[in-house]
Amino acid sequence: MFASALIVFRETLEAALILGILAAATRGVAGRGRWLGSGVALGFLGALVVAGLTDRIAGLADGLGHEMFNAAVLAIAVGMLAWHNIWMARHGREMACDARQLGRAVSSGTLSMTALTIAVALAVLREGAETVLFMQGLLSDGGGSGSLVAGGGMGLAAGAAVGLALYAGMLRIPAAWFFTATSGLILLLAATMASQMARQLMQADVLPSLAAPLWDLHTVLPTDSAIGILLHSLVGYEASPAGIQVLFYVTAAALILAGMLRVNVRAPVRSPDYR
């Protein structure tokens, strides 16, 4: 539940941030709400189409082997999460600045209101499509659909509430703070998915176990205990992982962190009004 709530919260907050910036920059423009609402609706419909195609592809892939298909889905999800964190580390400020400039251009009449609808639709579609993929990755590892839906609903509500609060000026905490905190959690989630992918490939006899288990902490901290479940949700804790799982976990986390640090060092300085 925590993983799905985190993913949906992050994606919703990003879309809400873009929507809020555009709404603030076009304040006072006649018909603004209708055009923004149309963009949200179009983006949401596009995300539903992506979800339908994902389910169809999953149905067609039954003959490929359950473990191999799950491993492929997890690999794509890890890659997308890694790209997401690294890209946002460099372009998050640019994205907000570009959205603000677009809103001002529409407000001044330089661009038509159609551009506003398209920008919002693309933002909602992008975040919605990523959410569908990540949720499919969680489902492929055996996560219950009920808990994923509940967590997703919580994440959606929290992301929308924070986005609305940022727009209304009720929160003085910079939006960048939220993205920094969730980037760390998503990095650990990507590493956890990489570990789960290794387990699927190990079960399909594609990868060796490299010691199974590498350690056994069931007597100290069982995975199904209250603390174990919490740690599993937060950092992917397992009481008795195979060596190949630990290797994939550490490698994925190290590569993503290195990529984020590299682009942060090289990122250009942007306007200080991004919050």
Side-chain angles (χ1 to χ4, degrees), residues 20 23 31-32 37 40 54 70 92 96 100 108 111 114 116 122 124 167 187 190 195 267:
R32 170 193 72 150
V40 172
T54 302
N70 286 347
R100 186 175 290 107
S108 65
L111 289 176
T114 304
L116 194 67
L122 290 176
V124 175
Y167 168 72
L187 183 151
S195 172

Side-chain angles (χ1 to χ4, degrees), residues 53-247:
L53 292 176
T54 302
D55 291 340
R56 178 169 296 184
I57 293 172
L60 294 174
D62 285 343
L64 298 180
H66 184 68
E67 290 84 3
M68 292 298 295
F69 175 69
N70 286 347
V73 172
L74 287 166
I76 295 172
V78 170
M80 288 291 291
L81 286 171
W83 172 85
H84 182 278
N85 262 15
I86 293 172
W87 189 91
M88 283 299 295
R90 181 175 179 85
H91 297 288
R93 293 175 182 268
E94 297 177 15
M95 182 178 68
C97 289
D98 290 344
R100 186 175 290 107
Q101 291 169 4
L102 172 62
R104 289 170 180 164
V106 172
S107 183
S108 65
T110 306
L111 289 176
S112 69
M113 296 294 285
T114 304
L116 194 67
T117 298
I118 293 174
V120 172
L122 290 176
V124 175
L125 175 59
R126 181 182 66 247
E127 307 305 340
E130 289 181 356
T131 300
V132 169
L133 176 62
F134 300 150
M135 297 289 273
Q136 182 67 34
L138 294 175
L139 278 172
S140 69
D141 192 56
S145 58
S147 62
L148 290 182
V149 171
M154 294 169 56
L156 178 63
V162 172
L164 180 61
L166 287 171
Y167 168 72
M170 293 171 60
L171 295 181
R172 298 304 178 186
I173 302 175
W177 185 90
F178 289 100
F179 291 126
T180 299
T182 55
S183 288
L185 292 173
I186 287 177
L187 183 151
L188 296 175
L189 176 60
T192 299
M193 285 187 168
S195 172
Q196 294 166 351
M197 177 183 67
R199 185 179 65 191
Q200 295 286 344
L201 292 174
M202 182 182 68
Q203 292 174 348
D205 294 326
V206 174
L207 292 178
S209 64
L210 299 183
L214 185 61
W215 61 71
D216 191 347
L217 299 178
H218 272 113
T219 58
V220 178
L221 183 59
T223 305
D224 57 359
S225 65
I227 298 178
I229 292 173
L230 177 62
L231 290 176
H232 179 75
S233 299
L234 291 173
V235 299
Y237 168 78
E238 288 193 27
S240 54
I244 192 68
Q245 289 182 260
V246 176
L247 177 62

